[in-house]
Amino acid sequence: MATEVILPRLGQGMESGTIVRWLKSEGEPVEKGEPLFELDTDKVTQEVEAEAAGVLLKIAVPEGEVPVGQTVAFIGAEGEDVPEVAAAAPPQEEIKPVEAEPAPAPEVPQDAVVASDNGRVKASPLARRIARERGIELSGIRGTGPDGRIVAEDVERAEAGGPAAPVAAPAVVPVGEVERVPLSNVRKTIARRLTEAWQIPVFQLQASADMTRVNALVARLRERDPDVRITVTDVLTKVCAQALMRHREVNAEFTEEAILLHPSANVGLAVAAPHGLVVPVIRSAERLSLTEIAGVRADLVGRARENKLRADDLEGGTFTISNLGMYAVESFTAVLNPPQAAIVAVGATEDRVVPIGGETAVRPTVTLTCTFDHRAVDGAPAAAFLQTLKESLEDPGLAL
């Protein structure tokens, strides 16, 4: 008997998903665990694997939004009959932009036409005087002044033997279509969550950290183990996790009944994926070594950019790092990632002149801007967290 392929529930609260495309065609053999189709949920676009082996006998829903639990295909033996299933609701017809008809180009007067007024050539007094003095016939000159009036420059041009200056027709600007980009479920979720975040009472604190020792540490670890590419983001993840364990008031979540203090630092990394911003999570980062963090980070970021994240990769975060330093952004303010109570925005590391021991020196420096949910975190605990973060970056041995 043919096996039904049911749209799975890939995350808590998921009620439906959108089938983006099938990775197998009808009649193709399918192995158990092989990617079968791509599904767009409210959190991520991911591949759904086949739960049975055989032949893809029928695709019941080629694409579009489908509720959880609905049959979308059948897998079985070649030639096996498949039952009929209720057809999915047809996708809504795409609204095409109204194309404006291009305005007709204005007619350009022919070169032979010369402006006249009741048979008399229209020319400025200066143009007439120059033409009279130099023996030039005005009737053969085309004017470029208002209403085709001949001006002095037209006469001088005619005397030099140059071509008459044509009256420039207004440029016709081509009318293009407005591009319509349908909202994916991921983009809808981003919009909804950022709107929610904007309603939260927040405050920001900012500090700068000397990155001399972090840069030296990263260079030393890369030289020692070139196969594991440690990055500054990995060090940031580790020191943030340690600071969160020291200041648990920040590793928090506000609810209507209580403030939840999380026992582990599940650090999310903001990643620009093809379908929009996603925040995969490095779980229990305080317990991982830098090498382990680098491995998890490389895997998550790589799969995020290939649209291969799973729903559980994005769940359970307690704090977020948003790093735009690679884009030469000096500093910025990140929007809170609810229900988390804090996020840190990391700018570019750049050489700055700083005072050291009564003298000045040039040091690689980064600006950290933390945003806090004021309902869960007060100013003093937030400042203490940021101070610990700064001190840990300036002396990473304290946190590693």
Side-chain angles (χ1 to χ4, degrees), residues 209-222 230-232 235-236 239 290 349 351 356 362-366 389-400:
D210 185 340
M211 297 292 282
T212 302
R213 293 188 178 182
V214 168
N215 290 345
L217 173 65
V218 170
R220 185 168 67 252
L221 292 176
R222 285 184 179 180
I230 304 292
T231 67
V232 171
V235 179
L236 277 165
V239 299
L290 275 179
T349 299
D351 289 338
I356 298 179
V362 177
R363 292 287 187 270
T365 306
V366 69
L389 190 55
K390 168 185 169 68
E391 292 172 351
S392 298
L393 288 173
E394 293 182 337
D395 187 358
L398 296 174
L400 304 181

Side-chain angles (χ1 to χ4, degrees), residues 176-353:
E177 294 184 0
V178 175
E179 183 179 2
R180 183 177 184 271
V181 181
L183 292 178
S184 66
N185 288 338
V186 173
R187 177 53 61 185
K188 291 177 182 177
T189 301
I190 292 172
R192 175 177 54 81
R193 290 174 62 82
L194 290 181
T195 301
E196 292 173 359
W198 201 251
Q199 299 171 353
I200 296 173
V202 300
F203 66 98
Q204 288 82 29
L205 298 177
Q206 191 172 84
S208 295
D210 185 340
M211 297 292 282
T212 302
R213 293 188 178 182
V214 168
N215 290 345
L217 173 65
V218 170
R220 185 168 67 252
L221 292 176
R222 285 184 179 180
E223 182 178 0
R224 187 183 69 185
D225 192 354
D227 294 333
V228 180
R229 186 172 177 80
I230 304 292
T231 67
V232 171
T233 297
D234 300 326
V235 179
L236 277 165
T237 301
K238 181 65 175 182
V239 299
C240 284
Q242 295 290 54
L244 289 169
M245 290 296 92
R246 184 172 170 182
H247 304 276
R248 291 189 60 206
E249 308 96 321
V250 178
N251 198 41
E253 174 184 340
F254 177 85
T255 71
E256 294 298 331
E257 294 78 24
I259 296 174
L260 308 181
L261 304 181
H262 298 288
S264 296
N266 297 334
V267 180
L269 303 178
V271 179
H275 287 283
L277 180 68
V278 294
V279 186
V281 178
I282 300 177
R283 303 181 186 281
S284 301
E286 78 280 2
R287 303 177 188 176
L288 304 179
S289 67
L290 275 179
T291 300
E292 291 171 328
I293 289 174
V296 176
R297 184 261 313 155
D299 172 63
L300 288 174
V301 172
R303 288 194 288 116
R305 291 172 178 167
E306 295 173 359
N307 286 328
K308 292 184 177 179
L309 286 175
R310 300 180 296 272
D312 57 0
D313 292 325
L314 306 173
E315 296 176 348
T318 62
F319 181 83
T320 296
I321 297 173
S322 181
N323 188 352
L324 293 180
M326 65 288 295
Y327 298 106
V329 174
E330 296 178 3
S331 66
F332 67 104
T333 300
V335 179
L336 205 63
N337 183 20
Q340 299 169 19
I343 184 172
V344 62
V346 184
T349 299
E350 54 187 3
D351 289 338
R352 300 179 192 170
V353 178

Side-chain angles (χ1 to χ4, degrees), residues 77-98:
E78 187 172 0
E80 187 176 355
D81 292 333
V82 296
E84 292 293 329
V85 295
Q92 294 183 354
E93 184 178 353
E94 183 175 334
I95 301 174
K96 297 183 178 180
V98 178

